[in-house]
């Protein structure tokens, strides 16, 4: 069965960086793009970007351009999301989500990781 | 950027029907996907491409999309349906990416 298992919770100081992992299993890793989505406490979901595990190409939301880097390791079927220059507003649960192309040039997420809480506090 | 608006809350009695709307400019021209999220858990896909259900999702969950409003309908509501629900589209504008609605808390009375 498809599983996305993320790394554990992190506590970081403002200005630091955090790197979260998402290990995929139960399917062919290179066949599906992977997204990263975050959710601040009590808020809705916010899309951060997407990575192609096959070719390592990425696309990031403008809001995170320059601060986010998504990478992958095909040998371990793992994708990573690194966010730098952390500030208190980055406190959130971060999710990876497997991409499925939908209709009308749309994309959605059929499987999600369990989430990783990142707390940014001095 | 594209904005999706949902009512903050919907209350429904067990066995009745819950209707959750998702408003967006000409949303009927886009595919809409819906997620259920229970406290402390990751979202779960319940409807994709306006009205298709993934395997394992009960037929009680259905969707529609036309004009400026998409709708998720939950028939014969059960206590286990109490959760937050989010709509999602893919924005193909100058800053492409997934856009999520503001979320609706469904409370089963």
């Amino acid at each position: 069965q498809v599983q996305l298992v993320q790394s554990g919770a992190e506590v970081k100081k403002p200005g630091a960086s955090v790197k979260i992992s998402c290990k995929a299993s139960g399917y062919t890793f290179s066949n599906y793009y992977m997204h990263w989505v975050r959710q601040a406490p009590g808020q809705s979901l916010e899309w951060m970007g997407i990575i192609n595990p096959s070719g390592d190409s990425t696309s990031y939301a403008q809001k995170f351009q320059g601060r986010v880097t998504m990478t992958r390791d095909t040998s371990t079927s793992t994708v990573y999301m690194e966010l730098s220059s952390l500030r208190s507003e980055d406190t959130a649960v971060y999710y990876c989500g497997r991409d499925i192309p939908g209709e009308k040039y749309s994309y959605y997420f059929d499987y999600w990781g369990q989430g990783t809480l990142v707390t940014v506090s001095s | 950027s594209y904005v999706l608006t949902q009512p903050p809350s919907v209350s429904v009695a067990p066995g009745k029907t819950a209707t959750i709307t998702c408003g967006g400019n000409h949303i009927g021209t886009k595919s809409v996907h819906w997620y259920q999220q229970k406290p402390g858990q990751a979202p779960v896909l319940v409807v994709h491409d306006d009205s298709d259900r993934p395997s394992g999702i009960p037929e009680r969950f259905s969707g529609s999309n036309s004009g400026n409003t998409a709708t998720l309908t939950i028939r014969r509501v059960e206590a286990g349906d109490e959760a937050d629900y989010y709509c999602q589209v893919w924005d193909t504008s100058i800053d492409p990416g997934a856009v999520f609605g503001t979320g609706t808390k469904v409370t089963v009375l």
Side-chain angles (χ1 to χ4, degrees):
Chain A
Q1 73 284 18
V2 174
Q3 280 194 309
L4 302 176
V5 179
Q6 299 183 220
S7 48
E10 303 263 11
V11 179
K12 296 292 182 181
K13 294 193 181 302
S17 297
V18 67
K19 189 172 184 178
I20 302 167
S21 66
C22 169
K23 183 174 175 59
S25 62
Y27 69 97
T28 302
F29 176 70
S30 58
N31 285 357
Y32 294 83
Y33 286 47
M34 196 75 77
H35 301 260
W36 287 91
V37 174
R38 76 177 187 179
Q39 186 173 36
Q43 302 299 309
S44 181
L45 301 156
E46 181 175 34
W47 183 79
M48 300 181 69
I50 184 173
I51 181 168
N52 176 359
S54 177
D56 204 25
S57 60
T58 56
S59 179
Y60 304 137
Q62 281 186 2
K63 175 177 179 176
F64 300 101
Q65 291 269 8
R67 282 210 303 145
V68 69
T69 305
M70 296 178 188
T71 56
R72 95 294 192 227
D73 182 344
T74 54
S75 69
T76 60
S77 299
T78 303
V79 296
Y80 299 90
M81 189 283 297
E82 183 171 19
L83 189 63
S84 62
S85 302
L86 291 169
R87 32 205 187 236
S88 59
E89 309 90 88
D90 294 317
T91 294
V93 176
Y94 291 75
Y95 295 99
C96 56
R98 194 178 78 160
D99 172 86
I100 295 291
E103 299 175 356
K104 305 177 192 174
Y105 304 102
S106 180
Y107 302 88
Y108 60 94
F109 319 99
D110 65 342
Y111 287 94
W112 297 66
Q114 83 276 19
T116 297
L117 174 63
V118 175
T119 302
V120 183
S121 174
S122 54
Chain B
S1 62
Y2 196 75
V3 176
L4 296 173
T5 303
Q6 300 179 233
S9 62
V10 167
S11 297
V12 57
K16 299 300 185 183
T17 298
T19 301
I20 305 164
T21 58
C22 175
N25 191 35
H26 300 296
I27 195 173
T29 63
K30 300 179 180 293
S31 269
V32 180
H33 319 293
W34 291 90
Y35 303 89
Q36 175 194 71
Q37 186 180 36
K38 296 182 179 179
Q41 297 184 19
V44 172
L45 180 70
V46 293
V47 167
H48 65 89
D49 296 306
D50 297 342
S51 58
D52 294 334
R53 276 185 317 277
S55 60
I57 300 301
E59 292 183 10
R60 302 184 296 104
F61 288 83
S62 63
S64 63
N65 182 21
S66 179
N68 292 317
T69 305
T71 303
L72 175 69
T73 302
I74 312 172
R75 293 183 170 78
R76 300 184 299 282
V77 165
E78 303 173 356
D81 299 330
E82 186 163 289
D84 294 325
Y85 291 82
Y86 296 95
C87 55
Q88 178 247 315
V89 300
W90 190 265
D91 184 13
T92 56
S93 68
I94 194 169
D95 184 18
V99 175
F100 292 91
T102 49
T104 299
K105 168 69 175 177
V106 171
T107 300
V108 181
L109 300 171

